Amino acid sequence: MWQNKMPDYVSKTKTIVDKKFDVLIVGGGVSGITIALQLQKSGLQCVVAEGHNLCFGTTGGTTAHLNNFFDTTYADIEKKFGEDSAQLIAKAANQALELYHSNIEQYNIDCDYQQKDGYLYSQNDKQTEELDSIFQASIKAGVDVGYTDRIPLPIEFQKAIVYHEQANIHPAKYVHALAKIFEEKGGVILQNCMVNDFEGDDELNVDTSLGKMTTKILIWATHIPPGINLLHFRCAPYRSYAMAVSLNDNAYPDGLAYDMYDPYHYYRTQDIDGKKYFIVGGYDHKTAHEENTEACFNKLEAHIRKYFNVKEVAFKWSSQYFEPADGLAYIGHLPGNPDNVFVATGYGGNGMTYSHIAAISLTDLITKGQSEYAKLFDPGRVKPVAGFSNFVKENADVVKEFFGKRFSQEKLNELSELAKGEAKLVKFEGKSLALYKDENGDIHAVSPVCPHAKCSVGWNSAEKSWDCPCHGSRFSVNGEVLTGPARIGLEVIEIENLVQEEKH
Ligand SMILES: Cc1cc2nc3c(=O)[nH]c(=O)nc-3n(C[C@H](O)[C@H](O)[C@H](O)COP(=O)(O)OP(=O)(O)OC[C@H]3O[C@@H](n4cnc5c(N)ncnc54)[C@H](O)[C@@H]3O)c2cc1C
């Protein structure tokens, strides 16, 4: 729902052969563009390469609450990382919110930015106990929070706390505005430019779909870095569902709100082009672990209708985020790579805030050689936490199944049982196929084996994509990569030829 038309200020193609840059930032989401502008402010010549178009990734599917508290609560952070770390992350989050504020003020950006209070409320005794400990830890961390006897929703609650001076924005308007400023100041943005690989050490020679370029520093702002890396075992892909509705009684809640279920619901109101929308999200699950993704929308809609007088469901969408193993993002040097390769990932559901923490921290790391947040978010940190070994095992759950490219009439008969718009994984003679029948009745057949780490993909009916449960790569029905870390698509099974052959 956030998609703007493709802005004409952003270079769609540019000859980059032999161009040398100080920093190549890969990814044109909120992270990539904010990091690029921040580095440019420090005098570096930067280029952003985006494989599709700006906001193609999760930034185009976010609900854009800007918070100084996280899904990993201050109580959890204090327990796992200590009181000092909780204070440091609160400081980082406050700086991130200030950076939004100062960018918007300095460049006079029209992105529907509004400061609002954020309410967290409990609905049973267990949640209330947890809420009290979150409140205490938030106070200790130095966050501006208080108890409140009201929440902005018509939902019963036991106890509530309010975090002051949170905010919401229109994410695409914000990112496009920053991109425009970045280009006007001499930055280069390349859309439809997939970064494939690089080689070298001091100077990195980068291979992209638009040609080769050279850079001193490379930053993967791709939500999850491509290829196989330690971080793929420390980040798990999840999907979350969101819906924007209009209300009959105009009773749009004024504020951001969150309940305490797992997964939790999140609520806010947004004005877009003079119309109000109430945006609610939730029903998160691990990617490809829910067979009927459409049912998640149904549950979300039923939840909204239970409490609100819904006039119309205007938009619904789902998108992906990456949950870090120990609860904190990974921002800094990418393990197993030269010193001049950096990453920002593992944001959980707080990437709008983390993207700006990444911009602040990476700029300091690159221009000053140090950042006060470097240790806290070090991607190479070893933080043994309960459940970590299961987390790794689950993510390394590799399918050892391979198959030939062709199959027989018997299989085709089975295919005909698919309804239009339906997809399924089928087994035939011990081999697996991922099949989808489109609205014209044509079958699209690909191998379900994700080329990244050989896990088996699952069908996402809401987005009509094949999603990998292990590391979150997503593929179109024809096997093309929609979202990394996979660099290449699913193997296509040539059934049309086969159908022709069988017919003769
Ligand atoms: C439903 C939902 C709601 C959310 N709500 C909130 C919220 O309210 N508040 C909050 O703080 N966070 C929220 N989040 C999380 C937040 O939206 C994300 O963490 C954030 O948008 C990530 O931004 P990003 O720029 O790092 O990644 P993305 O926006 O995913 O951008 C990465 C870009 O990299 C590009 N790319 C990938 N590989 C390559 C390559 N090899 N070459 C070139 N380009 C490449 C992709 O095309 C993509 O455009 C939400 C997440 C979901 C799923």
Side-chain angles (χ1 to χ4, degrees):
M1 79 167 226
W2 306 111
Q3 299 303 337
N4 289 5
K5 80 174 183 29
M6 185 93 98
D8 48 15
Y9 54 86
V10 178
S11 354
K12 287 179 184 132
T13 52
K14 258 192 189 172
T15 312
I16 52 168
V17 181
D18 297 335
K19 280 257 166 70
K20 292 195 176 188
F21 295 94
D22 292 328
V23 191
L24 163 62
I25 300 105
V26 190
V30 64
S31 295
I33 297 297
T34 316
I35 293 167
L37 184 64
Q38 205 64 9
L39 285 166
Q40 187 188 54
K41 287 182 199 166
S42 308
L44 296 174
Q45 176 62 41
C46 302
V47 54
V48 175
E50 162 56 50
H52 301 268
N53 52 279
L54 296 188
C55 299
F56 174 85
T58 300
T59 302
T62 187
T63 48
H65 296 226
L66 311 183
N67 301 114
N68 64 359
F69 60 97
F70 298 86
D71 292 356
T72 305
T73 65
Y74 281 111
D76 266 2
I77 298 170
E78 188 188 307
K79 203 156 71 193
K80 285 184 196 159
F81 297 85
E83 221 175 293
D84 290 351
S85 295
Q87 283 169 4
L88 197 57
I89 192 171
K91 181 177 172 189
N94 284 331
Q95 273 190 12
L97 297 202
E98 277 162 27
L99 180 57
Y100 273 103
H101 197 73
S102 67
N103 276 340
I104 289 163
E105 290 252 302
Q106 184 183 351
Y107 302 118
N108 200 14
I109 298 174
D110 173 14
C111 61
D112 309 327
Y113 172 82
Q114 287 172 310
Q115 280 197 336
K116 289 179 180 168
D117 284 340
Y119 297 80
L120 180 67
Y121 57 91
S122 64
Q123 291 170 287
N124 58 45
D125 292 347
K126 191 164 168 279
Q127 289 180 1
T128 297
E129 200 182 313
E130 197 191 339
L131 187 76
D132 284 334
S133 85
I134 292 172
F135 175 78
Q136 294 303 337
S138 302
I139 292 282
K140 272 198 265 171
V143 178
D144 183 8
V145 63
Y147 280 109
T148 174
D149 55 12
R150 73 164 280 272
I151 63 169
L153 309 177
I155 295 178
E156 277 194 25
F157 65 98
Q158 268 193 4
K159 210 168 180 179
I161 59 178
V162 53
Y163 289 91
H164 298 293
E165 295 192 359
Q166 311 299 295
N168 58 217
I169 53 163
H170 185 304
K173 282 190 188 173
Y174 177 73
V175 170
H176 284 165
L178 290 192
K180 185 166 189 278
I181 292 149
F182 173 72
E183 272 212 326
E184 284 169 356
K185 290 179 182 295
V188 177
I189 298 179
L190 301 165
Q191 297 193 99
N192 299 310
C193 178
M194 194 55 90
V195 173
N196 300 321
D197 217 341
F198 70 87
E199 54 186 30
D201 223 325
D202 264 2
E203 204 171 61
L204 306 171
N205 299 310
V206 185
D207 176 47
T208 83
S209 56
L210 294 186
K212 302 218 181 279
M213 68 170 98
T214 307
T215 181
K216 292 180 194 154
I217 291 165
L218 187 150
I219 300 173
W220 293 111
T222 47
H223 211 178
I224 188 84
I228 299 224
N229 185 276
L230 177 68
L231 294 184
H232 297 117
F233 296 97
R234 295 189 175 172
C235 292
Y238 279 75
R239 294 200 74 77
S240 189
Y241 295 79
M243 207 166 258
V245 302
S246 55
L247 300 177
N248 275 317
D249 49 11
N250 216 22
Y252 290 91
D254 178 26
L256 313 174
Y258 317 85
D259 66 22
M260 293 184 66
Y261 289 99
D262 183 16
Y264 63 93
H265 300 92
Y266 43 103
Y267 311 83
R268 73 150 165 128
T269 296
Q270 175 81 36
D271 284 299
I272 300 176
D273 301 330
K275 271 188 85 173
K276 269 194 186 329
Y277 295 98
F278 181 44
I279 303 173
V280 185
Y283 299 95
D284 308 14
H285 60 78
K286 194 154 183 265
T287 297
H289 278 228
E290 171 66 58
E291 274 189 18
N292 185 357
T293 46
E294 204 49 49
C296 298
F297 284 126
N298 296 340
K299 282 187 264 181
L300 180 58
E301 185 174 344
H303 175 81
I304 303 171
R305 286 188 186 276
K306 183 170 169 195
Y307 299 105
F308 294 88
N309 188 351
V310 174
K311 183 175 173 192
E312 182 198 16
V313 175
F315 304 97
K316 60 179 187 174
W317 67 97
S318 80
S319 196
Q320 184 154 286
Y321 63 90
F322 292 89
E323 203 55 56
D326 62 13
L328 295 190
Y330 300 103
I331 300 167
H333 169 247
L334 179 61
N337 280 256
D339 291 348
N340 43 356
V341 178
F342 296 87
V343 69
T345 188
Y347 291 168
N350 306 111
M352 298 308 288
T353 305
Y354 270 129
S355 59
H356 282 51
I357 294 178
I360 294 164
S361 186
L362 291 177
T363 301
D364 281 350
L365 268 175
I366 288 166
T367 59
K368 300 179 190 156
Q370 58 183 14
S371 153
E372 62 179 315
Y373 306 121
K375 194 160 166 256
L376 187 60
F377 299 118
D378 179 8
R381 69 183 179 260
V382 179
K383 186 79 201 162
V385 290
F388 184 73
S389 56
N390 279 346
F391 192 95
V392 170
K393 188 163 160 281
E394 188 183 356
N395 272 358
D397 186 14
V398 175
V399 174
K400 294 186 182 62
E401 230 176 334
F402 291 91
F403 50 89
K405 277 178 125 191
R406 309 210 135 192
F407 50 103
S408 70
Q409 183 65 48
E410 189 187 335
K411 186 76 266 158
L412 292 175
N413 291 342
E414 189 177 320
L415 299 189
S416 65
E417 288 168 16
L418 274 176
K420 286 182 181 173
E422 201 187 18
K424 66 178 170 187
L425 292 174
V426 295
K427 275 202 186 293
F428 179 65
E429 292 176 354
K431 293 158 186 169
S432 299
L433 296 167
L435 304 175
Y436 168 70
K437 190 184 262 186
D438 66 23
E439 296 307 326
N440 298 322
D442 293 330
I443 303 275
H444 303 250
V446 291
S447 156
V449 180
C450 175
H452 176 243
K454 311 297 179 214
C455 299
S456 182
V457 296
W459 179 240
N460 176 349
S461 58
E463 303 294 318
K464 301 231 177 308
S465 60
W466 292 108
D467 296 356
C468 179
C470 294
H471 307 112
S473 295
R474 296 180 54 241
F475 306 89
S476 74
V477 293
N478 293 320
E480 295 128 2
V481 179
L482 295 174
T483 310
R487 294 179 199 269
I488 54 170
L490 299 174
E491 186 182 4
V492 177
I493 310 297
E494 298 155 10
I495 64 166
E496 276 180 28
N497 293 345
L498 187 63
V499 174
Q500 296 292 326
E501 280 170 25
E502 303 259 346
K503 274 183 186 160
H504 289 121

